[in-house]
Amino acid sequence: MPRTSHAEGLEDDLAATVAAQDGDDAEAYAVARDAVDKANLAVNKDPESNVADLQARLAELEGFEAQLAEDPATRELVELSRLNLARAYLVMEDIEQAEAAMDQVLRVARERRPDVDQFGPTFAAYYDARREALDGLGRAEIAVECGVPCEVTIDAVPSAPQSGPLYLGTYRVWIRAKDDSALEERHTVALDQPGEVVSVTFPTVGPEPEPEPEPEPVELAPAAPGWKRVLPRWASATLAVVGVGGLAAGAAMLSLDGTCPGGFDPVRQAQDCPELYESTNVGGALVGVGAAVAATGGVILIVDEVRVGKQSGRQATLTWTVRF
């Protein structure tokens, strides 16, 4: 297996990798790359005991998307390590894990054929069989829609925003803005249907919109005070009717003033008319009081109706006619 070293102490290397991650990225990247080299050697010696460690070391190294995008040699190390992982699973007769490791190699390589022959003809034939199987499933694409100038990698390999045909499966998409914002995003994209195009928008979250200004307060004109009736309508009408009744009674009494009871002529039939009606004072008083009461009730009723009519948008007109 190429690009392996003979250093030992894998557990110590893992601690060193974690510590280096907190320091300089370049140093952490170098530590992760060396850890993959050592894990490959351990797998070659004892696949069953060390295959899980190699898988974990590869996941750590693949997290350095930016560095891998600019480092073809280390990308080749990752590819050969994936092939070594598939070979180890085949030795262990774990076909499912072997297929997963091999298919990952095929998705990254696309049309390019890796150096599988160094692992022997049986392994090379297995690679070809898996490639034929993926070809039969069809292909799909990833389309990255960048809102700002950006660069894209798919499984740590530099890519155009429109990926072109890819085998079905899951891909790591890393996007970085080319401006001074230093904005970057990682997406996991699953291609499940042949012929589909899965879109990824960058940046996922745009700038927050400006808040809408508060509307200016509107001052409303004070409402006109509601008009209250001087008297209820029925009371005003009753007052006017009573007044008219008194006026009519007084007028009737005045019409009898100076006449004889029974309708006799006080001059020619004086013997039949011992006395005359005297209603001047009472009739006049009734006429005066009745007129005053009728006028008061009528005026109050008219004023109330007019004011209330104006308040409700209408006008009422009442006309009283008194005849003697």
Side-chain angles (χ1 to χ4, degrees):
M1 171 69 190
R3 294 188 56 83
T4 58
S5 97
H6 296 280
E8 297 180 355
L10 293 177
E11 293 301 325
D12 293 337
D13 290 342
L14 179 58
T17 300
V18 173
Q21 293 279 5
D22 297 329
D24 183 71
D25 281 349
E27 182 181 355
Y29 178 59
V31 171
R33 184 179 55 233
D34 290 342
V36 170
D37 268 331
K38 296 171 184 178
N40 272 312
L41 178 62
V43 165
N44 290 339
K45 292 180 177 179
D46 184 357
E48 190 166 353
S49 299
N50 297 288
V51 68
D53 183 74
L54 176 57
Q55 186 121 11
R57 299 313 181 117
L58 278 170
E60 290 175 7
L61 182 56
E62 288 172 343
F64 293 89
E65 304 277 359
Q67 290 86 345
L68 283 172
E70 300 173 357
D71 187 355
T74 302
R75 292 204 304 272
E76 182 182 0
L77 167 64
V78 171
E79 182 176 79
L80 292 175
S81 299
R82 287 281 176 196
L83 291 171
N84 197 32
L85 194 64
R87 182 196 62 81
Y89 280 124
L90 285 174
V91 170
M92 296 165 53
E93 297 184 352
D94 189 339
I95 303 304
E96 182 177 354
Q97 291 288 357
E99 288 182 354
M102 186 65 80
D103 291 353
Q104 176 66 18
V105 174
L106 283 159
R107 283 193 290 269
V108 175
R110 302 191 190 183
E111 304 300 328
R112 179 179 53 82
R113 180 181 175 83
D115 186 10
V116 293
D117 294 327
Q118 64 178 301
F119 293 91
T122 301
F123 188 79
Y126 179 71
Y127 174 87
D128 292 335
R130 288 308 306 161
R131 180 166 190 168
E132 184 177 350
L134 292 187
D135 282 334
L137 296 177
R139 306 201 185 197
E141 296 187 33
I142 298 172
V144 178
E145 300 174 1
C146 290
V148 297
C150 67
E151 57 185 358
V152 179
T153 71
I154 298 178
D155 284 348
V157 179
S159 171
Q162 190 81 21
S163 68
L166 300 172
Y167 286 121
L168 301 186
T170 302
Y171 292 84
R172 306 183 323 275
V173 179
W174 179 73
I175 313 166
R176 180 172 60 182
K178 289 183 177 180
D179 56 21
D180 296 332
S181 66
L183 180 64
E184 63 179 55
E185 292 180 4
R186 287 174 171 82
H187 298 264
T188 299
V189 179
L191 300 181
D192 300 322
Q193 301 296 326
E196 72 175 339
V197 178
V198 177
S199 297
V200 177
T201 301
F202 176 82
T204 301
V205 179
E208 294 186 2
E210 293 292 331
E212 293 289 335
E214 293 291 332
E216 293 292 332
V218 178
E219 295 185 2
L220 301 177
W227 173 261
K228 294 183 178 180
R229 291 178 177 272
V230 177
L231 289 175
R233 181 185 284 113
W234 65 267
S236 300
T238 300
L239 193 63
V241 170
V242 170
V244 171
L247 181 62
M253 294 185 69
L254 287 176
S255 68
L256 294 175
D257 188 45
T259 62
C260 291
F264 295 105
D265 187 329
V267 177
R268 289 176 296 178
Q269 298 174 313
Q271 67 278 10
D272 297 322
C273 183
E275 61 182 7
L276 299 175
Y277 285 118
E278 179 56 47
S279 58
T280 302
N281 293 334
V282 177
L286 284 174
V287 169
V289 173
V293 172
T296 301
V299 168
I300 291 175
L301 182 59
I302 291 172
V303 170
D304 281 349
E305 291 299 318
V306 170
R307 292 292 179 87
V308 173
K310 287 183 177 179
Q311 184 176 318
S312 61
R314 60 186 179 83
Q315 183 171 354
T317 303
L318 301 179
T319 304
W320 290 80
T321 302
V322 178
R323 296 181 182 178
F324 298 93

